[in-house]
Amino acid sequence: MEPSELIQRYLLGTLSESEVIDLESQLANDANLRKQFAIAAATDAGLRELAIQNSMEPPVVAASTTNRNIWLMGWSAMAASLLLAIVFTVGTNEPKPIATLSTSENAAWESVLPTTVGSELVAGEMKLMTGIATVQFASGARMTFEAPAQFELVDAMRVRMVDGAAVIDVPESAHGFVVETPGGYAVDHGTQFAVSVEESTQTSDFEVLQGEISVHHPASGKEVRLFDEEFASLSDDVLSTHLELSSEQEYEQSNAAAPRLIRVGTDGRTEYVIRNNRRGKWIHSEMLMVKRADSRKWDMRAFFSMDINGVDLDSVSTARLRLNQVPSGKGFASRLPKLNTFAIYGVTNPSKEVWEVDPTWEDAPDIIDGILLGKFDVPRSQQTGTFGIQSVALLEFLRSDADGRVTFVLIRESGLIEGTDRGLVHAFANDAHPEVSGPLLEFTLE
């Protein structure tokens, strides 16, 4: 049965018990349906009041279908008048501000709400793409969000975290401030605490910096109190729900038992080449550029070398090669497929493990000099982020190396979907980049 029909029959009093339960379930999970129900209920109440004022009898639940239709037709004119009055009233009542954007540090937003410092904010959703920003609620509570973060301002005493991290300062005037997260919520009891939400896994972490909060898990009915330097993790999925609480000591013990991680960089041994060997202004010292186009003359491939002599590979359980993507500022992403595939090769030809300064396309290490270790994909809309590979082939390649120096070649397999050139050049940081690290090998030791 359609939701609108359920609402109509509910207001007429003809729903069965099972249908009432069905309607309640739909209302609990659909905000738009709740608004529709509220308007319908208000309209129904107003019509009944008008009927009384005009000496019209309200409908009898047991009335026949024909009588009910006649009654509904008789009220249609009054319904139109009442709805116009409701729309006029709602349209002229502006929503009241519940907070103010008090600080913005290198912030970029996706939001229909104003994002200039000092702006008054009404209820609504905001998405902080970069930077840090602070929202001061009318209740006195203050939240500092760290990008990327997505959240909804509900009212002066409530916020809903969808993704990202924030630190909340709550004075006495705002005791009882609520932070909703996937699977549950936290209630402040006078404190400063932090929350971190991972939207992809629907998990939330709470940590009390000073004071006290309570964390609630409605699905299981559990509630825990957290005090200074205590934290809780909250998750909710279709298989299970759980609430875990650990003290700072337990947290330190779990970290102490965690596998040890070793990182090895390139120490500046990075380079990339262009097929037509026109270097000059096309070579950027802080980037590794890769490209593949139909014209082929501007194709680019990158390569880099690492010294792993200091790593006991017999104690390594996993190895991961990590790259940080950065904007190249060259070419058009719209000429590429929506998803672009990159491949990393390990050089097995000893003569190509060392290269001259400013090597040519022909002399530089190439994919024919090695073996495929793994692939990764990058959306064309994304020009920053961390990517890489973690594979058995990578670990076996590292263990098979004889001299402790390994060289990798990076290419983009995806070409263009439009034109013969001017497609986006993808870039990854090298050790000279001022903001992010260059290629890294990460070893997890047993």
Side-chain angles (χ1 to χ4, degrees), residues 5-7 13 22 31 43 72 79 93 96 132 147 159-160 167 185 189 215 228 234 290 297 305 332 353:
E5 185 178 352
L6 285 173
I7 293 174
D22 182 27
T43 303
L72 288 173
N93 288 336
K96 294 182 179 180
I132 297 176
V159 70
R160 182 175 296 114
V167 174
Y185 60 95
H189 301 287
V215 178
D228 292 2
L234 185 66
V290 287
K297 64 180 181 179
S305 177
F332 299 95
E353 286 192 296

Side-chain angles (χ1 to χ4, degrees), residues 262-306:
I262 294 178
R263 293 185 175 91
V264 176
T266 64
D267 289 332
R269 295 185 293 272
T270 62
E271 189 61 272
Y272 71 95
V273 290
I274 305 173
R275 185 184 289 272
N276 61 17
N277 291 318
R278 293 178 62 180
R279 296 175 63 84
K281 67 178 182 178
W282 301 108
I283 293 296
H284 294 262
S285 59
E286 73 278 8
M287 299 179 187
L288 297 173
M289 290 189 171
V290 287
K291 179 182 178 181
R292 180 186 173 194
D294 293 348
S295 69
R296 309 312 298 269
K297 64 180 181 179
W298 291 106
D299 282 3
M300 303 178 192
R301 72 175 185 268
F303 44 95
F304 44 91
S305 177
M306 298 171 174

Side-chain angles (χ1 to χ4, degrees), residues 229-245:
E229 299 182 350
E230 290 184 334
F231 70 94
S233 296
L234 185 66
S235 68
D236 187 7
D237 56 47
V238 296
L239 296 176
S240 64
T241 58
H242 67 274
L243 183 64
E244 297 177 348
L245 175 65

Side-chain angles (χ1 to χ4, degrees), residues 285-444:
S285 59
E286 73 278 8
M287 299 179 187
L288 297 173
M289 290 189 171
V290 287
K291 179 182 178 181
R292 180 186 173 194
D294 293 348
S295 69
R296 309 312 298 269
K297 64 180 181 179
W298 291 106
D299 282 3
M300 303 178 192
R301 72 175 185 268
F303 44 95
F304 44 91
S305 177
M306 298 171 174
D307 188 340
I308 59 172
N309 278 298
V311 181
D312 181 6
L313 293 173
D314 292 333
S315 301
V316 171
S317 58
T318 62
R320 180 172 187 259
L321 181 59
R322 190 181 75 180
L323 301 168
N324 286 314
Q325 185 189 9
V326 293
S328 70
K330 297 184 180 298
F332 299 95
S334 59
R335 293 199 164 203
L336 299 180
K338 290 184 178 179
L339 202 62
N340 294 270
T341 300
F342 295 78
I344 296 177
Y345 289 76
V347 175
T348 55
N349 181 353
S351 66
K352 289 297 184 78
E353 286 192 296
V354 179
W355 57 88
E356 301 292 332
V357 176
D358 294 336
T360 63
W361 178 272
E362 296 75 18
D363 294 335
D366 203 344
I367 62 174
I368 60 173
D369 300 311
I371 58 173
L372 177 64
L373 301 179
K375 299 182 181 183
F376 62 91
D377 295 324
V378 179
R380 69 179 181 183
S381 59
Q382 186 169 347
Q383 295 195 42
T384 60
T386 300
F387 301 91
I389 60 170
Q390 179 177 315
S391 64
V392 174
L394 172 60
L395 187 54
E396 291 179 349
F397 166 73
L398 298 171
R399 286 174 172 167
S400 66
D401 181 76
D403 61 3
R405 183 181 294 275
V406 290
T407 299
F408 301 93
V409 177
L410 171 65
I411 65 165
R412 189 180 76 200
E413 293 187 342
S414 303
L416 306 178
I417 59 172
E418 182 181 355
T420 59
D421 217 320
R422 296 296 293 158
L424 178 69
V425 179
H426 280 87
F428 298 86
N430 66 20
D431 290 343
H433 198 277
E435 297 179 358
V436 294
S437 62
L440 288 175
L441 270 173
E442 296 181 336
F443 298 96
T444 302

Side-chain angles (χ1 to χ4, degrees), residues 68-363:
R68 184 175 296 114
N69 288 337
I70 293 174
W71 171 77
L72 288 173
M73 292 173 61
W75 272 12
S76 61
M78 286 188 296
S81 300
L82 183 60
L83 284 174
L84 283 174
I86 292 173
V87 170
F88 178 78
T89 302
V90 172
T92 55
N93 288 336
E94 293 293 332
K96 294 182 179 180
I98 60 173
T100 302
L101 184 62
S102 58
T103 70
S104 180
E105 304 170 37
N106 296 318
W109 297 86
E110 285 185 5
S111 172
V112 296
L113 300 181
T115 56
T116 56
V117 174
S119 297
E120 292 186 329
L121 305 174
V122 298
E125 295 185 356
M126 304 185 77
K127 190 171 185 180
L128 180 64
M129 306 301 295
T130 62
I132 297 176
T134 301
V135 173
Q136 180 78 43
F137 289 83
S139 61
R142 185 174 68 252
M143 289 188 70
T144 300
F145 299 91
E146 301 179 9
Q150 184 176 354
F151 53 95
E152 179 184 358
L153 308 178
V154 180
D155 56 43
M157 287 291 290
R158 183 179 294 264
V159 70
R160 182 175 296 114
M161 286 290 295
V162 178
D163 191 31
V167 174
I168 304 96
D169 290 279
V170 183
E172 185 175 350
S173 62
H175 284 190
F177 188 84
V178 176
V179 177
E180 297 181 13
T181 67
Y185 60 95
V187 180
D188 169 80
H189 301 287
T191 188
Q192 181 187 67
F193 68 102
V195 60
S196 178
V197 175
E198 182 67 42
E199 183 181 20
S200 61
T201 59
Q202 293 291 282
T203 57
S204 311
D205 292 323
F206 301 90
E207 181 179 0
V208 177
L209 306 178
Q210 183 179 6
E212 176 188 358
I213 66 172
S214 57
V215 178
H216 300 257
H217 191 238
S220 64
K222 292 182 179 179
E223 173 190 345
V224 293
R225 291 270 178 159
L226 304 180
F227 301 92
D228 292 2
E229 299 182 350
E230 290 184 334
F231 70 94
S233 296
L234 185 66
S235 68
D236 187 7
D237 56 47
V238 296
L239 296 176
S240 64
T241 58
H242 67 274
L243 183 64
E244 297 177 348
L245 175 65
S246 301
S247 66
E248 181 184 18
Q249 182 179 9
E250 290 171 327
Y251 177 75
E252 292 174 349
Q253 289 174 348
S254 65
N255 275 351
R260 192 157 59 97
L261 192 68
I262 294 178
R263 293 185 175 91
V264 176
T266 64
D267 289 332
R269 295 185 293 272
T270 62
E271 189 61 272
Y272 71 95
V273 290
I274 305 173
R275 185 184 289 272
N276 61 17
N277 291 318
R278 293 178 62 180
R279 296 175 63 84
K281 67 178 182 178
W282 301 108
I283 293 296
H284 294 262
S285 59
E286 73 278 8
M287 299 179 187
L288 297 173
M289 290 189 171
V290 287
K291 179 182 178 181
R292 180 186 173 194
D294 293 348
S295 69
R296 309 312 298 269
K297 64 180 181 179
W298 291 106
D299 282 3
M300 303 178 192
R301 72 175 185 268
F303 44 95
F304 44 91
S305 177
M306 298 171 174
D307 188 340
I308 59 172
N309 278 298
V311 181
D312 181 6
L313 293 173
D314 292 333
S315 301
V316 171
S317 58
T318 62
R320 180 172 187 259
L321 181 59
R322 190 181 75 180
L323 301 168
N324 286 314
Q325 185 189 9
V326 293
S328 70
K330 297 184 180 298
F332 299 95
S334 59
R335 293 199 164 203
L336 299 180
K338 290 184 178 179
L339 202 62
N340 294 270
T341 300
F342 295 78
I344 296 177
Y345 289 76
V347 175
T348 55
N349 181 353
S351 66
K352 289 297 184 78
E353 286 192 296
V354 179
W355 57 88
E356 301 292 332
V357 176
D358 294 336
T360 63
W361 178 272
E362 296 75 18
D363 294 335

